[in-house]
Amino acid sequence: MKIIIAGAGEVGFHLAKLLSFESQDITLIDTNRDNLIYADTHLDIRTIKGDATSIAILKEAHVKHVDMLIGVTSSEATNITACVLAKQLGAKRTIARISNTEFLHNKDEIGFSKLGIDELISPEAIAAREIELLLNQSAFNDSYEFEGGLLTMIGLSLSRNAPFVGKTVKEAAGVFPELNFVPIAIQRLGTQYTLIPRGDTEFREGDQVNFITLKKGVENLYKLTGKVKQDIKNVMILGGSKIGKKTARDLCSHNFNVKLIEQNKTKAYDLADELPKALIIYGDGRNVELLDEENIYDMDAFIAVTGNSETNIMSCLVAKSKMVKKTISLVENMDYYQLSHSIGIDTLINKKLLAANNIFRYIRKGEVVAMTKINNMNAELLEFIVKPDSQVCDKIIKNLDFPRSAIIGGIIRDGEGVIALGDFRIKAGDRIVVCCLPRSIKKVEKLFL
């Protein structure tokens, strides 16, 4: 695919990096020469210095021949304008990064597609949704829903008292006669190696395991893994950023008790006006005395979403030392993202990665409708729609030429989630969730073309 990315900031550079690994034809446009020099020397892409809203610059990037233009600058006005112009100049599809979530809530009423914008992406809204999902599945450290929860991916660390530690996947499946979940990825304690489990794979203490499950399978997983379902009610948020504000508003609407700490006085007063159901505290959340005064011991969850990764990590570690059940930290540094479990924080989230994952599904071949990278693992989850002429259609799963480094986690058929075993026959229109290591993605995609 020929793709133009407008904006070489954090989201744009990360997206260009991921796409360049897949040998996509990428052109990166930015007004900042330093950003482009860095991208040019680190990635196999073409760079153009200029304004993405300039018709001359878009023509220089051969916009009329591109399959997609992705606007991810820090200015939503620039992104929207670039998409509108690109569509008029011949780009097949356009995606705009926005920060005003009102656009998302009213996109059908406004008719953005008529203006030339096919999709709107808000990293802040995606991150806030991720946080809420993690709080709802409080015993788990990674979570992702397909089709409103018909299938759910959840991740957790196996404790010593988990009944199937020491058992194989096949033996563990026999603990419950009705199988409502399937393990899709395992990372051994103290390693960075991701394993796609098979029937003879043994579960070990300390394993980070990700499962695909139905709604009724969540309770079984609590029992099987020795986890205790924790009721999250009192939440403290550090940082009144866009993510902090959106998270606080969403949690308040679902009857959580929210305290939000903001060290900028003006912003704190503004947040108090905008979030009447939340308690806004003006102060420095790095101050342990302040946290004690605000009864951090009584908090069920602590969420750090300031603009500083180190502040977020350290404050979460402080919260963990105060016996807070659930800690979630926003990080910008991708190296930190790989360390969440080893440093003692329940979950690290990265809005660049979340945004890139959402954009990725429009670039993947085949009928990919959703995808996500599994937290702290080198594996991806993809959701395909089976076409009548695809190789997997009308085939039994165990007869498929499926790579060993990939596994079918579940299938959605006629509005119901199914944990499909080897004798399940795939039909046209099925939505299939696949977990695979990066090296097998292309082979999996070919099966669904």
Side-chain angles (χ1 to χ4, degrees), residues 69 76-96 98 103 106-120:
L69 180 137
E76 68 182 2
T78 298
N79 298 335
I80 289 171
T81 305
C83 285
V84 171
L85 291 174
K87 199 64 175 253
Q88 294 299 316
L89 292 170
K92 292 186 178 69
R93 288 183 66 80
T94 61
I95 300 174
I98 52 113
F103 290 157
N106 300 286
K107 64 180 181 180
D108 294 331
E109 184 180 345
I110 301 300
F112 282 98
S113 58
K114 295 176 184 176
L115 299 175
I117 304 167
D118 295 303
E119 294 292 338
L120 297 171

Side-chain angles (χ1 to χ4, degrees), residues 263-274:
Q263 66 175 349
N264 181 292
K265 191 174 184 178
T266 303
K267 185 183 283 188
Y269 277 108
D270 290 342
L271 287 169
D273 291 335
E274 295 179 57

Side-chain angles (χ1 to χ4, degrees), residues 362-404:
Y362 303 107
I363 294 144
R364 293 290 191 200
K365 296 173 185 175
E367 290 294 316
V368 182
V369 291
M371 71 84 60
T372 184
K373 186 179 185 302
I374 298 180
N375 186 17
N376 209 46
M377 287 194 189
N378 186 34
E380 295 187 17
L381 273 179
L382 298 97
E383 180 186 353
F384 295 92
I385 296 178
V386 178
K387 296 186 289 188
D389 56 349
S390 66
Q391 293 182 42
V392 299
C393 188
D394 207 34
K395 297 280 178 60
I396 294 173
I397 288 177
K398 63 183 177 184
N399 295 336
L400 294 175
D401 182 23
F402 224 66
R404 293 281 297 174

